[in-house]
Amino acid sequence: MLKTRIKEYRLKYDMNQQTLAELVGVRRETIGHLERGNYNPSLKLAWDIAKVFNVSIEEIFEYVEEEK
Amino acid sequence: MLKTRIKEYRLKYDMNQQTLAELVGVRRETIGHLERGNYNPSLKLAWDIAKVFNVSIEEIFEYVEEEK
DNA sequence: AAGCAATGTTATATATTTATAACATAAAGA
DNA sequence: TCTTTATGTTATAAATATATAACATTGCTT
């Protein structure tokens, strides 16, 4: 299961989904889906998002084992 | 454009494509395609490969600008 | 030369991400 | 209340990653 801190960093930068989406070249729905854990992004998208926040990919995305 | 050091690390670990593929749960052709830069992996696959070699994703994958 | 292991390559099918559009909901301000 | 902004949600289409199978090539070893 994928845990993400996109929303946390997005709010830290006082940014809405639309703005982040434009910065990385995807739709705002895509950002929303990622924040809600609906699917795993491509490495390219993960890379681009991490770059916006000047952090490593690992800082924003983490795979953890399912509980149940 | 995606540059990758999969092959470099794979050889360092004296491992063939088949073995690496099994460790991360994909086909050997998929590893081959990645090494030849045919497509960008999912974050999950990139994560799994980095984990096999005990390095960060950024150590193995890097996006650089196209020359021409 | 013959055989084997590793990798390249290609075609097609399947799965998943992402795009697109439309509508719903919730919060905040005028 | 009405309007606006941000986000949720859902359905469908398009794009791309990955699976699968088949065959080619290369290098090594006998």
Side-chain angles (χ1 to χ4, degrees):
Chain A
M1 179 224 180
L2 178 61
K3 289 181 60 177
T4 173
R5 289 187 184 163
I6 296 178
K7 186 169 185 177
E8 175 184 335
Y9 273 92
R10 181 169 62 75
L11 296 181
K12 183 180 294 183
Y13 276 72
D14 198 26
M15 195 181 288
N16 61 26
Q17 292 182 345
Q18 178 66 41
T19 302
L20 175 57
E22 285 167 3
L23 283 174
V24 299
V26 297
R27 292 217 123 212
R28 73 158 183 86
E29 292 93 333
T30 299
I31 300 297
H33 282 302
L34 287 178
E35 288 186 356
R36 276 169 275 126
N38 285 9
Y39 44 56
N40 307 317
S42 65
L43 176 59
K44 179 70 163 61
L45 179 51
W47 174 283
D48 288 338
I49 292 174
K51 224 165 146 190
V52 166
F53 300 130
N54 289 302
V55 294
S56 69
I57 293 177
E58 284 88 351
E59 171 67 17
I60 297 200
F61 299 95
E62 186 182 10
Y63 286 94
V64 294
E65 301 304 321
E66 296 280 0
E67 295 116 28
K68 54 173 185 178
Chain B
M1 181 224 182
L2 177 62
K3 289 181 59 176
T4 173
R5 290 186 184 165
I6 295 179
K7 185 170 186 175
E8 175 184 336
Y9 273 92
R10 181 169 62 76
L11 296 181
K12 183 179 294 183
Y13 277 71
D14 199 25
M15 194 180 289
N16 61 26
Q17 291 182 343
Q18 179 67 40
T19 301
L20 176 57
E22 284 167 3
L23 283 174
V24 298
V26 298
R27 294 217 123 213
R28 72 159 183 85
E29 291 93 334
T30 299
I31 300 297
H33 282 300
L34 287 178
E35 289 185 356
R36 275 170 274 124
N38 284 9
Y39 44 58
N40 305 316
S42 65
L43 176 59
K44 179 70 165 61
L45 179 51
W47 173 283
D48 288 339
I49 291 174
K51 224 166 146 189
V52 166
F53 300 129
N54 290 303
V55 294
S56 68
I57 292 177
E58 284 87 351
E59 171 67 17
I60 298 200
F61 299 95
E62 185 183 10
Y63 286 94
V64 295
E65 301 305 320
E66 295 281 0
E67 294 115 27
K68 55 172 182 177

